[in-house]
Amino acid sequence: MLAVKVPKRDAEKTRRKLIELGVLAKGYSPKREGDFVLFPVIEPVEGFELVEAEFERTEMRPHSYREVVEVPEELRPLLPSSFDIIGDIAIIELPEELMKHGKAIGEAILKVHRHIKAVFAKGSKVSGEYRVRELIHLAGERRTETLHRENRIRLKLDVAKVYFSPRLATERMRVFEKTLPGEIVFDMFAGVGPYSILLAKKAKLVFACDINPWAIRYLEENIRLNKAFNVVPILGDVRKIAGKIEADRVIMNLPKFADRFLREAMLSVKSGGIVHYYGFGPEEDLFSEHERKIKDAARELGFEVEFLDERRVRPYAPRQFNIAIYFRVLK
Ligand SMILES: C[S@@+](CC[C@H](N)C(=O)[O-])C[C@H]1O[C@@H](n2cnc3c(N)ncnc32)[C@H](O)[C@@H]1O
């Protein structure tokens, strides 16, 4: 095929130029010939020495597991286009029809994403007090413990024993950006610490509570891993400690039931302090129901609230969204 021949010292500059001109032939490796390098091109290029040469094809790596997985053709449209990656573990949601092809799907994911070592399918919805789900092993290692990196912190966790969603990383960063140096933060439903450990970089002190002993075990390990020694882990029901803490900022990341804990949150925040409330809402009216509950809880305590920000965090179910409401409590 047609090639551009340049001295070795000009190779990198030439490669960039050929890419810029859109003439570098894709799928082939450049070739060394003594003190020269040959680049395959799709058409003659002015200003360069042109020669004929043969090139080896480079391995074209697939981008998606869907390009390599073997499933019956009629089921292909059902293959999910995305899945969660927590550390080196992939968790995919498969429709019933694809479950019997789970092994092939898991192996295709391992083949395309070399850093993934284990693949699981969601076996249930997130449920119970600990907000965990059943997982079905599809391929790779039968291991559920991993080390996840997000927002420049490291989190060790067991995906089968604790709640963790990598999809909240951006929301956590938003809360981090709002946090002011020296604040006292109360993370009411802390899990393994993705908010607490991040916010600890700015806050003076972070009280991090969770009722799941596994979450607190990992939180303690994550405090050591990240040297976040200003995080105070508290194992137990948050109802028992609410009101004993006076925080500048309260995080209520329990969207399914946060409304049941509004009284506790409001009693734990200083006058003028901020609450980050999460819930689920239908697309047609995301916030009204939650706003009403927040106002009712404040009224019962004789407090006032000022709404600061309301947003969709992520899609949750068809026409349902995980929402965030940030509000100030005035006592
Ligand atoms: C949705 S998860 C959020 C975890 C963490 N904030 C995160 O972003 O990964 C909610 C957490 O609240 C904890 N939880 C539920 N009820 C609780 C209660 N009454 N007191 C303390 N923690 C509770 C669960 O064990 C779970 O870890």
Side-chain angles (χ1 to χ4, degrees):
M1 66 192 294
L2 195 60
V4 156
K5 184 175 176 182
V6 292
K8 224 168 62 188
R9 62 175 183 280
D10 294 337
E12 187 48 32
K13 195 171 69 186
T14 306
R15 192 184 65 83
R16 274 189 258 127
K17 183 75 190 164
L18 297 175
I19 291 173
E20 191 187 309
L21 294 171
V23 293
L24 187 68
K26 288 189 186 128
Y28 299 94
S29 314
K31 187 160 135 178
R32 284 274 293 275
E33 245 183 33
D35 286 339
F36 293 89
V37 177
L38 275 59
F39 289 99
V41 286
I42 54 172
E43 60 186 57
V45 198
E46 258 181 54
F48 288 101
E49 181 185 345
L50 294 168
V51 293
E52 264 300 313
E54 281 183 10
F55 290 90
E56 277 181 22
R57 286 205 80 99
T58 48
E59 195 195 336
M60 295 285 273
R61 281 179 51 77
H63 294 296
S64 163
Y65 79 96
R66 292 190 295 179
E67 293 169 38
V68 298
V69 69
E70 283 179 24
V71 293
E73 223 31 57
E74 67 277 14
L75 295 181
R76 244 171 217 289
L78 298 179
L79 287 167
S81 59
S82 67
F83 49 84
D84 283 346
I85 299 176
I86 305 179
D88 58 2
I89 296 176
I91 301 176
I92 190 162
E93 184 165 358
L94 293 180
E96 195 56 46
E97 301 91 312
L98 280 174
M99 276 313 280
K100 62 173 179 291
H101 302 283
K103 189 164 187 276
I105 293 170
E107 279 167 0
I109 291 175
L110 292 177
K111 195 165 166 190
V112 174
H113 302 273
R114 299 278 162 89
H115 63 289
I116 292 175
K117 301 292 179 227
V119 184
F120 292 86
K122 292 182 182 175
S124 70
K125 289 206 168 311
V126 164
S127 69
E129 200 168 39
Y130 296 172
R131 312 308 297 146
V132 289
R133 69 165 91 246
E134 276 170 38
L135 295 172
I136 300 162
H137 180 258
L138 299 182
E141 295 176 28
R142 286 179 184 273
R143 160 170 66 78
T144 49
E145 186 179 81
T146 190
L147 186 70
H148 183 76
R149 287 182 168 78
E150 74 167 36
N151 296 329
R152 296 176 166 213
I153 62 170
R154 290 182 297 161
L155 297 165
K156 197 164 171 188
L157 65 119
D158 188 319
V159 290
K161 294 193 171 99
V162 299
Y163 174 92
F164 183 79
S165 171
R167 298 186 197 190
L168 297 174
T170 312
E171 172 58 20
R172 296 193 258 262
M173 189 39 88
R174 278 186 70 93
V175 176
F176 174 75
E177 278 159 6
K178 303 266 174 212
T179 304
L180 303 174
E183 282 188 353
I184 293 178
V185 173
F186 182 22
D187 188 0
M188 291 173 72
F189 310 104
V192 301
Y195 279 94
S196 293
I197 289 177
L198 180 63
L199 269 49
K201 288 176 187 240
K202 275 195 190 166
K204 181 161 86 185
L205 210 52
V206 181
F207 293 100
C209 177
D210 206 287
I211 201 164
N212 177 352
W214 282 105
I216 293 296
R217 218 195 91 176
Y218 281 108
L219 171 64
E220 284 168 347
E221 198 160 342
N222 292 329
I223 289 172
R224 287 192 291 276
L225 258 179
N226 296 278
K227 299 188 171 43
F229 299 115
N230 52 342
V231 175
V232 182
I234 304 166
L235 171 61
D237 190 328
V238 76
R239 292 182 191 95
K240 297 210 175 110
I241 52 157
K244 296 187 181 133
I245 290 169
E246 272 221 310
D248 298 289
R249 194 171 295 276
V250 172
I251 322 286
M252 301 186 75
N253 186 22
L254 179 63
K256 187 87 179 166
F257 305 119
D259 53 346
R260 300 183 190 169
F261 293 85
L262 278 163
R263 183 186 158 81
E264 284 78 6
M266 289 182 189
L267 287 173
S268 307
V269 75
K270 288 177 190 168
S271 181
I274 290 163
V275 177
H276 298 270
Y277 170 95
Y278 297 95
F280 295 123
E283 191 171 28
E284 59 279 10
D285 187 3
L286 291 167
F287 306 110
S288 309
E289 179 72 6
H290 295 288
E291 279 178 10
R292 187 185 57 71
K293 287 180 176 167
I294 292 168
K295 282 190 215 149
D296 286 353
R299 194 175 315 109
E300 275 172 31
L301 290 164
F303 302 160
E304 278 180 34
V305 287
E306 182 192 340
F307 292 106
L308 304 173
D309 192 10
E310 295 186 328
R311 271 169 315 98
R312 295 174 184 200
V313 175
R314 58 172 180 146
Y316 165 67
R319 306 178 62 81
Q320 290 270 330
F321 285 85
N322 183 180
I323 58 103
I325 301 179
Y326 299 177
F327 61 89
R328 194 187 300 284
V329 180
L330 300 159
K331 300 188 172 179

